[in-house]
Amino acid sequence: MPPKALIFGSIGTLAEITDLERRAFNAAFDEHGLEWTWDEETYADLLTEPDGERRIEQYAAQHDTDVDAMSLHASTIKHLSCLVDDEGLRARPGVYEMVSNAKKAGVALGFATTASPDTLTLMFSGLFPDLPRSVFDYIGSHEDVTRNKPAPDIYEVTLKELGVAAGDALAIEDTPEAARAAVAAGIETLGFAHSFSAGRPFPDGVEEVDILPVDIFADEAPAA
């Protein structure tokens, strides 16, 4: 049976935004007078920590540097917003089709992210009008939980808000660490790695896909 709920788990499952994030961090570091540069390899390693503010804190600790991580992260969001305005965002292959098929089939749509509300606003502005935030029945943020991924909390909240049991849902995640949160919540999970997480092993039981199975709900769509 097709799932009753489709849950995208991270911003990177919806949009090609990871390198824009990396560049925004670097712009924030420059603005704050830090001689830090996160190249692609460095940023790929840092993505083992799903939370951007904690990435800054951990990197600062590794380099014995005192920083205001909250202020740095706020600057990063400001620069990311400018990059999105200037360059736009591209949805990842198959996202529009999968969302459309799920909606036609009456499947509940959730977005189990722990990103900040500001990050969500800029992402949906970059994808508008093709993927408006209104298409989702529930959208999480870091304000909804006290523990971020890989803890399962945001998935447990999402399931409750959608009114769906874990066994009736399908999650899509873009990094092994984020996928652990969905697995811990008991949800069947697809690993949809982006360019910065490709090649890293996902948890046992997670099916890794290069292309989203956009026709998974096709047979459930109502007849015209």
Side-chain angles (χ1 to χ4, degrees), residues 11 17 20-29 31-32 38 43 50-53 55-56 69-86 113-123 125 142:
I11 285 176
I17 198 171
L20 292 182
E21 289 178 334
R22 180 187 67 83
R23 291 161 56 193
F25 275 112
N26 286 335
F29 300 153
E31 178 185 350
H32 285 253
W38 288 356
Y43 196 55
D51 182 81
E53 191 171 318
R55 277 178 224 146
I56 294 172
M70 183 179 295
S71 178
L72 270 172
H73 193 256
S75 294
T76 299
I77 300 303
K78 178 188 69 177
H79 287 289
L80 181 58
S81 181
C82 291
L83 287 170
V84 170
D85 286 344
D86 290 345
T113 178
T114 53
S116 69
D118 288 342
T119 302
L120 290 169
T121 295
L122 70 87
M123 187 203 70
S125 70
H142 71 75

Side-chain angles (χ1 to χ4, degrees), residues 12-162:
T13 62
L14 293 175
E16 298 286 0
I17 198 171
T18 309
D19 196 56
L20 292 182
E21 289 178 334
R22 180 187 67 83
R23 291 161 56 193
F25 275 112
N26 286 335
F29 300 153
D30 184 63
E31 178 185 350
H32 285 253
L34 289 168
E35 295 182 355
W36 293 355
T37 300
W38 288 356
D39 59 21
E40 293 183 4
E41 182 178 0
T42 299
Y43 196 55
D45 291 339
L46 290 166
L47 287 174
T48 57
E49 167 51 64
D51 182 81
E53 191 171 318
R54 290 214 302 254
R55 277 178 224 146
I56 294 172
E57 292 173 343
Q58 291 180 0
Y59 191 82
Q62 292 168 3
H63 291 78
D64 197 25
T65 305
D66 290 326
V67 298
D68 183 342
M70 183 179 295
S71 178
L72 270 172
H73 193 256
S75 294
T76 299
I77 300 303
K78 178 188 69 177
H79 287 289
L80 181 58
S81 181
C82 291
L83 287 170
V84 170
D85 286 344
D86 290 345
E87 302 181 23
L89 284 181
R90 292 183 296 112
R92 297 191 63 191
V95 167
Y96 292 146
E97 295 86 349
M98 195 172 194
V99 167
S100 177
N101 287 344
K103 294 297 286 186
K104 289 176 183 177
V107 172
L109 277 175
F111 190 20
T113 178
T114 53
S116 69
D118 288 342
T119 302
L120 290 169
T121 295
L122 70 87
M123 187 203 70
F124 281 114
S125 70
L127 292 175
F128 188 82
D130 298 308
L131 191 69
R133 65 189 306 153
S134 60
V135 78
F136 289 95
D137 299 293
Y138 171 74
I139 298 173
S141 81
H142 71 75
E143 296 180 343
D144 297 319
V145 293
T146 56
R147 297 190 304 168
N148 286 337
K149 299 173 185 177
D153 301 33
I154 189 60
Y155 275 102
E156 292 169 350
V157 170
T158 302
L159 291 170
K160 181 178 179 180
E161 292 291 332
L162 295 179

